């Protein structure tokens, strides 16, 4: 009739697509499943930098792409199952507008909107992405960033732009901000990936420097109640002025820069131990009930040294693989603040 209708069937995609003959008409698709491969984090930037002009594919003009209306029963990106999804786009004078890309499972929700404008050297993508999840550890692992976080619920928001098409995404060419508000998780053994970008790798170097030697207690990771702050990404660097990780063992604040191209740190980390039940908390992290019992016993024996623990400031520099951690300041012992007496009533106020 007046459209081409296709049936697709395979491991990566299965569904129907209807392509109308009329110019500017909506291309509609209904898919049972779509599995999209997850490239390495820097694949887009490396491909753009290394490709010779004659080897580059002809640039797609996003303004020439008709409106898209796709519904997907099960969307998977890398090993991460994002659930039921829908995509809606429409043309704009200079390109394409993604009015909605929504994916949802019972445990997480992803919403993306933005623009793909221009073509060739002038092409640029700008997106606003919001993700809410009950288990960011599992989500990160599925997207290829495993080994940094276990569990953790909350929200991440990315506002970013980069040169090229949406498929050319790379942290090395990104310009934008990442806002984090995650609760009830655990930083685990850090491997290459997002943890290094945020400076979390260097946290693994800190426990043995907190006045007493806590290496055995932190081998399993650092549990946190909240992880919140904003990371600014641009010129292949990730910078933060106030990323705060608060847990039962300590409160950690990170300032400074991670160079994504040189893979090096230049950060300042402030650690304020929570003296009241530090060893009880880290004992629980180390080994369940047995670890908790050990921690409680140690807390009684070391009550006086723990009461004299001080806040410290560390300077983290050098390569990601072997960062150098130096103590640059030791603050006064952490003491609870006594309640302030209420001011006397003012007779003039009756």
């Amino acid at each position: 009739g007046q459209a081409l209708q296709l049936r697709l069937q395979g491991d990566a995609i299965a569904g129907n697509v209807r392509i109308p003959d009329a110019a500017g008409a909506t291309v509609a698709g209904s898919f049972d499943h779509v599995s999209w491969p997850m490239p390495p984090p820097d694949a887009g930037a490396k491909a753009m930098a290394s490709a010779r002009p004659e080897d580059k594919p002809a640039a797609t003009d996003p303004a020439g792409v008709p409106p898209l209306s796709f519904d997907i029963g099960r969307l998977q990106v890398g090993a991460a199952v994002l659930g039921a999804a829908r995509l809606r786009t429409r043309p704009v004078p200079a390109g394409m507008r993604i009015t909605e890309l929504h994916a949802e499972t019972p445990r997480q929700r992803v919403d993306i909107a933005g623009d793909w404008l221009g073509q060739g050297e002038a092409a640029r993508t700008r997106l606003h992405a919001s993700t809410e999840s009950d288990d960011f550890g599992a989500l990160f692992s599925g997207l290829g960033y495993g080994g940094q976080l276990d569990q953790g619920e909350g929200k991440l928001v990315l506002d970013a732009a980069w040169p090229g098409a949406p498929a050319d995404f790379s942290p090395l060419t990104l310009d934008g901000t990442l806002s984090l508000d995650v609760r009830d998780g655990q930083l685990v053994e850090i491997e290459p990936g997002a943890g290094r970008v945020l400076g979390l790798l260097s946290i693994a170097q800190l426990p043995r420097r907190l006045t007493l030697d806590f290496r055995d207690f932190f081998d399993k990771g650092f549990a946190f109640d909240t992880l919140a702050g904003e990371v600014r990404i641009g010129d292949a660097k990730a910078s933060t002025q106030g990323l705060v990780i608060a847990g039962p063992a300590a409160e950690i604040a990170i300032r400074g820069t991670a160079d994504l191209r040189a893979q090096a740190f230049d950060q300042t980390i402030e650690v304020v131990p929570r003296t009241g039940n530090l060893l009880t908390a880290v004992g629980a992290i180390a080994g369940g009930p047995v670890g908790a019992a050990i921690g409680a016993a140690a807390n009684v024996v070391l009550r006086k040294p723990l009461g004299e623990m001080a806040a410290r400031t560390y300077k983290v520099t050098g390569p990601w693989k072997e960062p150098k951690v130096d103590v640059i300041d030791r603050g006064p012992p952490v003491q609870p603040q006594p309640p302030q007496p209420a001011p006397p009533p003012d007779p003039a106020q009756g």
Side-chain angles (χ1 to χ4, degrees):
Q2 298 178 347
L4 173 66
Q5 186 153 317
L6 305 175
R7 172 67 182 168
L8 310 173
Q9 184 66 47
D11 293 336
I13 188 169
N16 298 301
V17 181
R18 187 177 187 276
I19 307 174
D21 294 338
T26 298
V27 175
S30 178
F31 303 93
D32 299 323
H33 64 262
V34 173
S35 180
W36 196 271
M38 188 71 183
D42 57 352
K46 286 184 176 179
M48 292 176 66
S50 62
R52 297 174 300 176
E54 60 269 24
D55 294 334
K56 293 183 179 180
T60 300
D61 181 3
V65 178
L68 303 177
S69 177
F70 292 164
D71 292 292
I72 304 169
R74 182 181 185 272
L75 174 63
Q76 180 172 329
V77 178
V81 176
L82 302 185
R86 60 181 178 267
L87 170 68
R88 303 290 187 268
T89 75
R90 62 180 177 87
V92 293
M96 168 196 289
R97 175 152 297 160
I98 302 170
T99 56
E100 179 186 26
L101 175 54
H102 172 86
E104 187 169 354
T105 70
R107 302 199 65 181
Q108 67 193 26
R109 173 189 176 110
V110 178
D111 287 287
I112 299 174
D115 296 296
W116 173 19
L117 306 175
Q119 62 182 121
E121 298 296 327
R124 189 166 181 83
T125 299
R126 180 178 296 276
L127 292 180
H128 173 87
S130 173
T131 303
E132 298 180 40
S133 177
D134 289 347
D135 190 344
F136 275 109
L139 178 60
F140 288 169
S141 181
L143 295 175
Y145 292 96
Q148 283 97 198
L149 181 66
D150 185 19
Q151 300 181 338
E153 62 176 299
K155 185 175 183 178
L156 303 182
V157 177
L158 175 67
D159 278 296
W162 61 91
D168 296 321
F169 172 87
S170 168
L172 296 179
T173 60
L174 209 61
D175 182 14
T177 58
L178 173 65
S179 300
L180 306 94
D181 185 5
V182 183
R183 304 175 300 279
D184 301 328
Q186 184 169 325
L187 303 178
V188 295
E189 183 181 356
I190 303 297
E191 298 294 339
R196 297 180 187 270
V197 173
L198 301 179
L200 304 185
L201 171 73
S202 51
I203 294 173
Q205 308 290 327
L206 298 181
R208 65 178 178 271
R209 300 171 188 271
L210 294 178
T211 305
L212 301 173
D213 190 338
F214 295 146
R215 280 175 293 183
D216 293 340
F217 292 101
F218 280 82
D219 278 346
K220 299 290 184 179
F222 181 89
F224 63 85
D225 299 321
T226 60
L227 189 163
E230 186 175 276
V231 179
R232 179 77 176 88
I233 305 174
D235 297 324
K237 294 181 180 179
S239 305
T240 179
Q241 292 301 316
L243 184 66
V244 177
I245 306 166
E251 181 172 296
I252 300 172
I254 302 175
R255 303 191 311 272
T257 300
D259 192 315
L260 308 183
R261 185 169 284 113
Q263 298 190 349
F265 285 125
D266 183 10
Q267 295 179 327
T268 300
I269 299 181
E270 296 178 351
V271 180
V272 180
R274 294 189 172 179
T275 62
N277 58 352
L278 175 61
L279 285 179
T280 303
V282 298
I285 297 168
V290 175
I294 295 173
N299 201 32
V300 172
V301 174
L302 299 176
R303 187 175 302 277
K304 183 176 180 180
L306 282 173
E308 296 173 355
M309 287 183 65
R312 283 196 176 184
T313 302
Y314 303 84
K315 185 68 175 178
V316 182
T317 55
W320 290 355
K321 291 183 178 180
E322 296 182 1
K324 181 182 179 183
V325 182
D326 295 315
V327 179
I328 61 174
D329 179 57
R330 177 185 297 181
V334 179
Q335 299 290 344
Q337 295 296 318
Q340 298 297 318
D346 186 350
Q349 298 296 325

